[in-house]
Amino acid sequence: PETPVNHGSFMPIDVINPEGSFVNARLPAPCGGMVECRALLAGLMVGALGQAMPEKLVGDLKGGANHVYISGPLADGHGIYLCYEYPAGGTGASRGVDGSHAVRAFPEGDFNSVQSAEVIERQSPLRVERHGLREDSCGDGEFRGGLGLRREIRVLSAVGSLSVLSDKNVIPPFGVAAGGSGAPNRFTVVRDGAVIEPSPMPGKVGDFKLQAGDIVRMESSGGGGYGDPLERDPERVHGDVSLGYVTPEAARARFGVVLDRADGVDAAATRDLRDRMRAERVELDLQLSNADDWRATRRQIGLSSEVAARLGADTGDLIEVVTHSGVALRGWLAVDESIDTGALALGPDGLAALGAQPGDRVRLNRLRAAVS
Amino acid sequence: MTARRYVVGIDVGGTFTDILAHERHSGRLLSEKVPSIPGEQWRGVLDALTALGIDGADIDAFVHGTTIATNALLERKGAKTGLVTTQGFRDVLEIGKTRRLIGGLFDIGWQRPAPIVSRDLRLEVAERTAADGTILEPVDEAGLQALAEHFRAAGVQSVAVCLLNSYVNDANEQAVGALLRELLDGVPVSESAVLVPEQGEFERTSTCVLNAYLTPVMIAYLDTLSDSLTSRGLAAPVNIMGSNGGAMSLETAAGRVAGTFLSGPVGGVTGARRIAEMAGVSDCITFDMGGTSTDVALIRNLQPRLSHDNQIDAFPLQMPQLDIHTIGAGGGSIVWVQEDGTLAIGPQSAGAVPGPACYGRGGREATISDANLLLGRLPTARALSGGLMLDAALAADAFRALADRLETEDLTGLADAALRVAVAKMAGAVREVSVHRGFDPRDFALIGFGGAGPMHVFLVADELAIPRVVIPRFPGHLSALGQMLADVRLDSVAALGGRLGDLAVSTVRERIDPMVDRARAALIQDGISDDRHQHAISMDMRYVGQSFTLAIPWDASDADWAPLRRAFDARHRETFGYDDPQNDAEIVNIRLVSTGVVDKPNLRFETESAEDALLETRRVWFDGWRDCAVYTRPAMAVGFEFDGPAIVEEPGGTTVVPPGWSVSLHASGVLHCRNDNML
């Protein structure tokens, strides 16, 4: 990034994208959401390059553009208003570097992703009620991801419409090198104090009917973490808590750091808690199975009921497999009593994505509930 | 005996503090240069007065350019600052509109710079003003008291208040400010709409926070300065240069610190503007190269460009500033070898102490000045004016260390290469203010000044095929001259927001009248009687649906909008290549520039010495060693002509004229230089 982009920058790069693939569609395949695809590719490249250059690994980003459209009739009855935003999320962590909060990430250019509240309120019957950081949304890690954005816009017109095109609302941005996932993107409506899901499919909303007084709540994802969160310098966790980026509860539950109100980090309690959390981790040895197990578009990860219970998870829950060197592999838990309790069987593609070998020891995490 | 009376300009640069004094009865200009003292700029100011031997009581007017605000920000040495925002908006300062604002493209390890006010000191108060100015909810005073208590416990030294929509109605913001002043005795409070009554909460918050952060630093500096000047017998008011190119009183400066970031460099631009006028040049690019940095600005029709949406470091700054581009390369900039084996220049500078290696004051690292010495462009057999003897052996030692790393024996080639790298960087800065703004630099004359400007300006002109260069008299003191010539200036703005089709001219006049009244009162308070006031109005305009505005001057005596609309369409065509007469246009802001015209010295530059102008002929490197005439400028008479290669020495600057250039001394005192090969 230090040198100006020039012809030579691209000489080492060959692009191989066979026609008929996801990134080189054949007519009449439906196309759209270009930014969503591009963002997936950026994550894929990071994961692939990370196997060759571990020092270049970086936690995943918010997914696509997070297009949000709020529209309705103008107060004078002439025409409609349209408020269009695409809120940025937290950036991924990398070796030695925490992610940054709610900001354009490295592959994204540098233009506004939200508008000034004063401009919105001047142009539309909308009132912006919050433009802030989404606490605790970072991916955990020795270096944590950045926080996402929390933004709330109240509808003042009698009626309105909400549409959203957003990715990573279910499967959150991944962590790397044993780092944790960022919180997923989430778009909801608050009506009379109750949170409503505007669509059965999170992140994909078409013309949801808004009423006067509704609040559109946009929560963009945090960036993926880098490294084991139990290895994070407790003082850094303390710093995040004192600035309100991370709550004391999350410091304890996710980073194993115990804070004392007066003195900051309680070193002894932190050591004990971290030891206990390490002991409670679910770790298994990898085995190679004949084929990857897919049910429609969802990777299945089979575990015995005993292991599932230790994870606190059940069939249909989202879990992930992490190693100390690469990108996390996600899948949907399928409890199967015929499975060996001490081992985790993955197909060849799963192993390749992890960059792991049979016999490697891996850790399993249950992912925080995607939709709460 | 004639009383000696002086008008004084003092410019504190990164390396030197320059003083220029105009002696009224004789019309003479006196100049001196003393080292700047980092952290204690006021001492450099006193040293400069001492060096010139002027008694404080003999000074009629005193204008000063200072880099206090800029330095304190870049070193993060401002006050511990608290920020008060509307409920729900405390993170606006940190998030903005989610842009990085400084680089980071394709850099996975990029980290956003920490905001000036950390999150624990950004507190929210329950209150709300609507976009039309209606107060939806008054300020929660109980909440504000708790907030003040938090600030007090945290040791907050300065407070910024920026509430949503305060640019339309700042009643709540004013209420918060007043209560905080009462609760936090002695802590300065900056209110956003007082500084920037314009739409855009992020830019307004950022500007207000910068102002609050730097206010205690500036007040401490101004207090020390004014005390020490008073102890020297100074009775005349001290004025500070503002970023807008005008001067302001100490009191005004203390309240608008965010308006002083360019206090140093603007002096050069206003000085160069005056010199250009005297020299009959209306379009020019100023090239002000000092010891640490180079500032460039474009002047068209004798008007420096003004910009309102600025940024300092990673932070938006919504204050009118002259459009000056600065890069970290000056005469003292250190030449070094990067990891990949290529040469780089600066931004580290050897400063005044120890200074370049050739100064013999303990500097060991190679600098741009050392490179010039190795190429014969600075004298080694004679002292520089100011008495400094340069040591070529020390310069060679410094470059030999680089040569060893690069495995070369050719010190001359290396010095030449270092200069080329520096020139490429400086040419980039000139492109930034010209090509990137839609101007062809070849249509402008380059005005070279600052301690190192005249030595490098021709190299930059050659690089960009610019055929005309102007070198002012006293090139090393032009910034101080600009300060001496500065009028007092006050910029005010009011957000309007209305389509021409819906707006009555009388409504707008009603908005302008109180702005003018306030400006008039402020100028009178700064000691300028109202027969010397000038007020100019312009409108920030756009077509309905656009988001960028153009500033269009408006004559308040116009009976309707037709002349304004015609002027806007014309400017739009000129700027963007088309206009849109079918579409309605809207006024976003009213801008008022109020000027208090001060007496200016009548500048005369005369031949000061009867000696022969030709000092010597020596070997100087210009793509090979060439015989080169060396002149002394004070002995040149008007009409004196010579061709490059040539060198002109004078107090405060050395001009290096490469082959291909013809030079003549103009009646105004400037050297007019042209390169006919490029015309």
Side-chain angles (χ1 to χ4, degrees):
Chain A
E2 282 80 21
T3 52
V5 174
N6 60 69
H7 177 72
S9 313
F10 298 99
M11 287 178 62
I13 299 172
D14 283 324
V15 178
I16 306 165
N17 57 339
E19 197 184 335
S21 67
F22 180 64
V23 288
N24 191 3
R26 198 180 283 137
L27 275 173
C31 291
M34 172 275 284
V35 183
E36 319 303 300
C37 307
R38 205 204 56 169
L40 286 174
L41 287 178
L44 182 69
M45 303 276 262
V46 163
L49 278 175
Q51 293 190 1
M53 305 165 71
E55 73 282 3
K56 293 288 182 193
L57 271 174
V58 56
D60 194 23
L61 308 167
K62 70 183 192 297
N66 281 347
H67 309 270
V68 179
Y69 311 83
I70 305 170
S71 62
L74 280 170
D76 62 7
H78 299 295
I80 59 162
Y81 68 86
L82 171 64
C83 172
Y84 170 36
E85 304 196 322
Y86 24 96
T91 67
S94 53
R95 184 182 290 180
V97 180
D98 286 340
S100 295
H101 308 312
V103 67
R104 286 297 189 181
F106 68 95
E108 285 192 310
D110 193 24
F111 40 90
N112 298 341
S113 75
V114 294
Q115 297 186 58
S116 151
E118 291 175 346
V119 170
I120 292 174
E121 295 188 1
R122 190 91 186 182
Q123 294 179 344
S124 326
L126 296 171
R127 186 173 302 137
V128 182
E129 299 201 339
R130 173 175 298 278
H131 175 59
L133 295 175
R134 183 184 181 192
E135 289 95 348
D136 286 342
S137 61
C138 51
D140 309 339
E142 181 180 357
F143 301 97
R144 56 141 180 76
L147 298 177
L149 191 66
R150 179 177 285 127
R151 209 166 145 78
E152 295 178 348
I153 300 183
R154 187 184 289 275
V155 177
L156 303 179
S157 54
V159 294
S161 165
L162 171 68
S163 294
V164 178
L165 175 57
S166 166
D167 196 17
K168 300 202 180 175
N169 284 242
V170 176
I171 300 180
F174 56 75
V176 295
S181 304
N185 291 305
R186 182 153 161 73
F187 296 87
T188 52
V189 173
V190 183
R191 179 173 292 168
D192 302 325
V195 176
I196 304 176
E197 297 296 337
S199 150
M201 188 184 291
K204 313 290 191 287
V205 183
D207 191 22
F208 176 82
K209 300 298 180 201
L210 294 165
Q211 303 173 359
D214 282 355
I215 295 170
V216 175
R217 180 181 284 170
M218 317 172 191
E219 293 171 292
S220 64
S221 67
Y226 181 104
D228 184 346
L230 298 186
E231 299 296 325
R232 183 167 175 77
D233 179 352
E235 285 306 328
R236 281 189 177 235
V237 177
H238 180 221
D240 284 342
V241 171
S242 64
L243 293 177
Y245 296 141
V246 169
T247 57
E249 296 73 35
R252 179 184 272 269
R254 289 161 48 184
F255 294 94
V257 171
V258 183
L259 296 173
D260 185 293
R261 183 172 284 274
D263 306 322
V265 176
D266 182 334
T270 295
R271 206 163 39 240
D272 290 349
L273 178 58
R274 285 184 160 183
D275 285 347
R276 200 159 67 238
M277 289 169 76
R278 277 192 199 92
E280 287 169 0
R281 281 178 163 171
V282 179
E283 293 186 336
L284 301 174
D285 295 325
L286 277 181
Q287 288 178 353
L288 176 63
S289 63
N290 291 334
D292 291 77
D293 182 7
W294 291 91
R295 215 149 294 171
T297 57
R298 292 186 160 185
R299 169 184 294 279
Q300 306 294 309
I301 298 177
L303 295 174
S304 70
S305 60
E306 187 201 323
V307 175
R310 281 169 59 204
L311 271 179
D314 209 341
T315 294
D317 283 341
L318 188 60
I319 63 172
E320 67 179 1
V321 184
V322 303
T323 70
H324 279 278
S325 55
V327 169
L329 179 75
R330 282 74 167 284
W332 304 84
L333 173 59
V335 173
D336 181 345
E337 290 312 336
S338 67
I339 286 173
D340 174 6
T341 288
L344 174 67
L346 291 176
D349 291 349
L351 282 183
L354 274 177
Q357 305 293 328
D360 285 356
R361 193 139 183 96
V362 295
R363 174 150 55 87
L364 289 176
N365 293 324
R366 182 188 172 184
L367 288 175
R368 280 171 272 158
V371 179
S372 57
Chain B
M1 180 182 141
T2 320
R4 293 171 178 273
R5 306 299 302 173
Y6 298 94
V7 179
V8 172
I10 292 194
D11 177 52
V12 183
T15 309
F16 290 107
T17 297
D18 301 327
I19 184 167
L20 196 67
H22 182 254
E23 196 172 65
R24 288 200 153 155
H25 72 277
S26 67
R28 279 197 312 154
L29 282 171
L30 314 174
S31 68
E32 264 300 344
K33 217 177 228 313
V34 298
S36 294
I37 300 168
E40 292 184 306
Q41 288 198 358
W42 57 274
R43 291 224 295 175
V45 174
L46 294 186
D47 289 351
L49 278 174
T50 308
L52 218 49
I54 293 181
D55 193 5
D58 295 336
I59 296 175
D60 286 339
F62 184 100
V63 187
H64 169 38
T66 171
T67 53
I68 282 284
T70 314
N71 293 353
L73 177 69
L74 297 182
E75 296 167 15
R76 297 293 189 276
K77 286 184 179 161
K80 187 164 202 179
T81 303
L83 170 65
V84 183
T85 73
T86 301
Q87 192 88 54
F89 292 87
R90 74 160 162 164
D91 291 328
V92 164
L93 181 72
E94 182 162 353
I95 302 171
K97 287 176 273 189
T98 75
R99 287 185 58 188
R100 288 186 301 271
L101 292 172
I102 45 166
L105 189 61
F106 306 133
D107 181 0
I108 58 169
W110 180 84
Q111 271 191 306
R112 179 184 250 163
I116 293 291
V117 181
S118 59
R119 199 163 189 253
D120 52 328
L121 295 179
R122 304 197 300 258
L123 303 182
E124 298 177 346
V125 61
E127 69 80 40
R128 194 60 147 91
T129 302
D132 65 357
T134 311
I135 304 286
L136 299 172
E137 187 185 351
V139 174
D140 167 20
E141 294 198 1
L144 198 62
Q145 289 188 355
L147 178 156
E149 195 43 55
H150 182 94
F151 280 163
R152 202 197 329 264
V156 162
Q157 299 161 316
S158 187
V159 176
V161 185
C162 184
L163 304 184
L164 216 58
N165 290 320
S166 66
Y167 77 103
V168 185
N169 177 359
D170 68 348
N172 277 3
E173 195 172 275
Q174 285 294 317
V176 168
L179 195 55
L180 285 178
R181 277 192 186 86
E182 200 181 299
L183 294 169
L184 300 169
D185 192 28
V187 173
V189 177
S190 301
E191 289 108 337
S192 76
V194 170
L195 294 164
V196 194
E198 291 177 56
Q199 189 182 56
E201 67 274 14
F202 175 45
E203 294 78 4
R204 209 169 62 246
T205 306
S206 174
T207 305
C208 186
V209 161
L210 287 170
N211 196 73
Y213 181 63
L214 299 168
T215 292
V217 180
M218 183 60 99
I219 288 179
Y221 172 70
L222 295 179
D223 283 351
T224 312
L225 176 71
S226 96
D227 287 353
S228 49
L229 288 172
T230 308
S231 71
R232 293 283 180 104
L234 184 84
V238 176
N239 280 350
I240 295 288
M241 286 301 282
S243 306
N244 58 8
M248 55 181 150
S249 68
L250 287 189
E251 292 71 31
T252 307
R256 292 179 76 80
V257 179
T260 67
F261 280 108
L262 297 185
S263 176
V266 292
V269 180
T270 47
R273 197 209 76 92
R274 175 72 185 125
I275 291 296
E277 191 177 21
M278 291 169 64
V281 173
S282 61
D283 295 339
C284 58
I285 294 172
T286 64
F287 180 82
D288 180 359
M289 181 175 174
T292 307
S293 59
T294 300
D295 301 311
V296 299
L298 183 137
I299 294 177
R300 193 168 176 236
N301 295 326
L302 289 174
Q303 290 297 315
R305 288 168 60 85
L306 199 68
S307 69
H308 295 281
D309 305 318
N310 302 296
Q311 187 178 319
I312 180 154
D313 209 324
F315 313 115
L317 174 66
Q318 195 94 344
M319 281 277 179
Q321 294 192 156
L322 296 192
D323 185 9
I324 299 176
H325 188 71
T326 300
I327 55 162
S333 290
I334 288 167
V335 182
W336 52 290
V337 178
Q338 302 183 102
E339 241 173 82
D340 63 0
T342 56
L343 279 179
I345 313 297
Q348 304 84 350
S349 166
V353 181
C358 61
Y359 281 20
R361 292 178 182 152
R364 291 279 175 267
E365 297 194 84
T367 66
I368 290 299
S369 293
D370 295 308
N372 278 296
L373 186 67
L374 292 181
L375 299 179
R377 294 174 189 177
L378 286 166
T380 50
R382 287 173 294 105
L384 283 180
S385 64
L388 187 66
M389 278 290 285
L390 301 179
D391 189 330
L394 290 173
D397 287 347
F399 267 93
R400 194 162 296 118
L402 295 179
D404 289 347
R405 261 209 69 188
L406 295 171
E407 294 170 13
T408 171
E409 306 275 301
D410 180 10
L411 294 191
T412 306
L414 192 55
D416 190 42
L419 273 190
R420 284 172 196 269
V421 174
V423 166
K425 212 168 158 177
M426 295 183 289
V430 173
R431 280 194 200 98
E432 179 71 33
V433 299
S434 55
V435 179
H436 291 192
R437 311 276 200 275
F439 298 100
D440 186 337
R442 294 171 297 187
D443 298 337
F444 294 76
L446 268 182
I447 302 195
F449 57 97
M455 202 179 302
H456 300 89
V457 65
F458 292 90
L459 306 178
V460 175
D462 283 345
E463 175 81 13
L464 295 169
I466 294 174
R468 284 168 302 148
V469 165
V470 171
I471 307 290
R473 186 75 177 91
F474 294 109
H477 295 83
L478 196 71
S479 295
L481 178 74
Q483 287 152 14
M484 200 193 272
L485 298 171
D487 289 322
V488 174
R489 171 171 168 159
L490 208 69
D491 284 66
S492 14
V493 58
L496 189 70
R499 299 179 179 199
L500 289 187
D502 305 333
L503 267 179
V505 171
S506 58
T507 315
V508 175
R509 282 210 197 97
E510 281 164 24
R511 292 290 304 276
I512 293 173
D513 289 345
M515 291 170 75
V516 173
D517 290 344
R518 278 196 300 275
R520 183 180 295 129
L523 288 176
I524 288 172
Q525 189 157 19
D526 282 0
I528 299 180
S529 57
D530 57 3
D531 56 316
R532 290 167 165 265
H533 297 186
Q534 294 171 356
H535 302 281
I537 299 158
S538 68
M539 306 292 191
D540 286 351
M541 296 185 67
R542 63 187 178 197
Y543 291 119
V544 171
Q546 287 184 324
S547 56
F548 295 98
T549 60
L550 293 171
I552 311 297
W554 185 58
D555 182 344
S557 65
D558 285 353
D560 57 38
W561 294 127
L564 180 72
R565 176 61 201 253
R566 276 197 302 276
F568 170 63
D569 286 336
R571 259 299 290 289
H572 200 279
R573 272 196 309 277
E574 182 188 298
T575 311
F576 300 113
Y578 73 100
D579 60 5
D580 188 5
Q582 307 307 316
N583 194 351
D584 204 354
E586 56 189 2
I587 298 176
V588 178
N589 295 305
I590 305 168
R591 293 192 186 275
L592 172 69
V593 176
S594 306
T595 309
V597 180
V598 302
D599 285 331
K600 297 186 188 58
N602 183 20
L603 296 177
R604 285 174 296 139
F605 299 98
E606 292 166 350
T607 311
E608 292 160 33
S609 156
E611 298 159 35
D612 190 344
L614 183 66
L615 285 176
E616 61 172 334
T617 301
R618 68 168 186 254
R619 304 283 276 173
V620 177
W621 178 270
F622 291 101
D623 288 330
W625 292 102
R626 303 269 303 254
D627 284 330
C628 177
V630 180
Y631 300 99
T632 175
R633 179 131 173 216
M636 287 183 188
V638 169
F640 189 87
E641 290 184 341
F642 56 95
D643 291 333
I647 286 176
V648 182
E649 295 181 8
E650 65 187 301
T654 300
T655 303
V656 175
V657 186
W661 289 83
S662 319
V663 183
S664 69
L665 182 64
H666 184 253
S668 63
V670 310
L671 297 175
H672 264 303
C673 318
R674 46 190 284 149
N675 187 334
D676 288 324
N677 305 328
M678 292 191 283
L679 276 170

